[in-house]
Amino acid sequence: MRLLRNMTAAIVLAALALTLVLLLYAMVRDRPQDLPWTELDLGQPVGLFTGRKLAALTDDFPACRKALDKAGVRYTALAPLSEQGGQCGYEDAVRFRAGGARRIGFAPSDLGVSCPVAAALAVWEWEVVQPAAQRHFGQKVAEIEHFGSYNCRRMYNREGASWSEHATADAVDVAAFRLADGTRVTLVGDWEGKGSKARFLKDVRDGACRVFSTVLSPDYNAAHRDHFHLDQAERMWRVCR
């Protein structure tokens, strides 16, 4: 019994110490999102728990919409969809509208994604994509070209494989970026090398890993040679390749 009490006391002390460390860390950096118990604020700098909080929105459409509203993101909620006996579809999909806090457009323009993916895309724009574009090109990104989101299919279209995150609109494939002056930066043409375009693509990939559950790039395999796969799979671990 004494050993058990000592172990319990040690665990409690360790938990208190960890909490104190997190509090001090968040205070020093002035980033509320470094703390697991603070409310998600899409307008705050990315913190230690931003990615986890974004993924958790998968189970809470009202909270996700509240976060978008608070951040000034304009959107339209899409009608629920169910296919393949419920294996495919969504109940929390949205489509960005013009104006509001977001500035980057999408091509094609009718992109519909799950709300958690939309929230992550907004944070990615503000905290990663635009700062990286300013660093490398001295101008902003005007448009993101994509291969779409919702697609009722299994992974790699293989029969018997697990259902893709695309089957629930919890993923989006990004192919290229168009800068304000019309310059295009593409995954298929600019990933390799050491120039500004390649450095920009590496930076936005690395930054995406902080707000999405899964980020797959040309470094992963040939199937992703021409796009980033970004998703908000709800799981305890994150994948960044």
Side-chain angles (χ1 to χ4, degrees):
M1 289 295 294
R2 182 176 181 181
L3 177 61
L4 180 59
R5 287 196 298 270
N6 289 340
M7 290 179 62
T8 301
I11 292 172
V12 170
L13 288 173
L16 289 173
L18 179 59
T19 300
L20 180 60
V21 169
L22 283 173
L23 281 170
L24 291 173
Y25 185 71
M27 289 173 61
V28 169
R29 299 211 310 168
D30 192 25
R31 295 191 178 184
Q33 299 307 307
D34 283 336
L35 301 174
W37 54 81
T38 56
E39 183 179 83
L40 174 65
D41 186 340
L42 304 182
Q44 289 286 340
V46 177
L48 293 175
F49 291 90
T50 300
R52 296 292 184 194
K53 293 175 184 180
L54 286 165
L57 295 176
T58 299
D59 291 327
D60 198 338
F61 193 21
C64 187
R65 294 183 65 172
K66 178 182 176 182
L68 291 178
D69 292 338
K70 181 179 179 181
V73 176
R74 295 182 183 176
Y75 63 92
T76 298
L78 303 182
L81 175 68
S82 180
E83 297 184 289
Q84 293 290 320
Q87 296 289 346
C88 293
Y90 47 76
E91 295 183 348
D92 64 345
V94 300
R95 179 174 291 123
F96 288 127
R97 297 204 318 263
R102 295 189 62 263
R103 292 292 182 269
I104 290 179
F106 287 92
S109 61
D110 61 345
L111 176 64
V113 295
S114 72
C115 189
V117 171
L121 283 172
V123 176
W124 191 46
E125 172 187 334
W126 299 327
E127 300 295 328
V128 178
V129 175
Q130 296 295 27
Q134 290 288 358
R135 285 196 306 273
H136 294 290
F137 310 116
Q139 59 182 305
K140 292 184 177 181
V141 169
E143 190 173 67
I144 292 176
E145 299 175 20
H146 64 89
F147 293 151
S149 174
Y150 179 72
N151 188 346
C152 184
R153 65 172 176 81
R154 296 180 183 273
M155 294 179 65
Y156 297 104
N157 290 304
R158 294 172 182 166
E159 185 176 353
S162 299
W163 288 97
S164 168
E165 293 298 319
H166 285 284
T168 52
D170 281 311
V172 62
D173 291 338
V174 170
F177 302 82
R178 183 174 61 80
L179 304 180
D181 68 357
T183 299
R184 291 179 73 241
V185 183
T186 69
L187 272 293
V188 70
D190 299 311
W191 180 260
E192 301 295 339
K194 298 181 179 180
S196 58
K197 289 184 177 181
R199 293 195 301 271
F200 167 78
L201 290 173
K202 302 301 192 303
D203 281 355
V204 297
R205 187 272 310 273
D206 294 346
C209 294
R210 302 176 63 199
V211 295
F212 289 95
S213 295
T214 307
V215 177
L216 302 179
S217 72
D219 282 346
Y220 179 48
N221 61 16
H224 294 84
R225 67 188 180 282
D226 58 355
H227 70 277
F228 292 139
H229 168 92
L230 312 174
D231 77 41
Q232 284 296 29
E234 191 180 11
R235 56 172 181 265
M236 293 300 295
W237 66 93
R238 311 182 74 76
V239 176
C240 179
R241 299 177 179 176

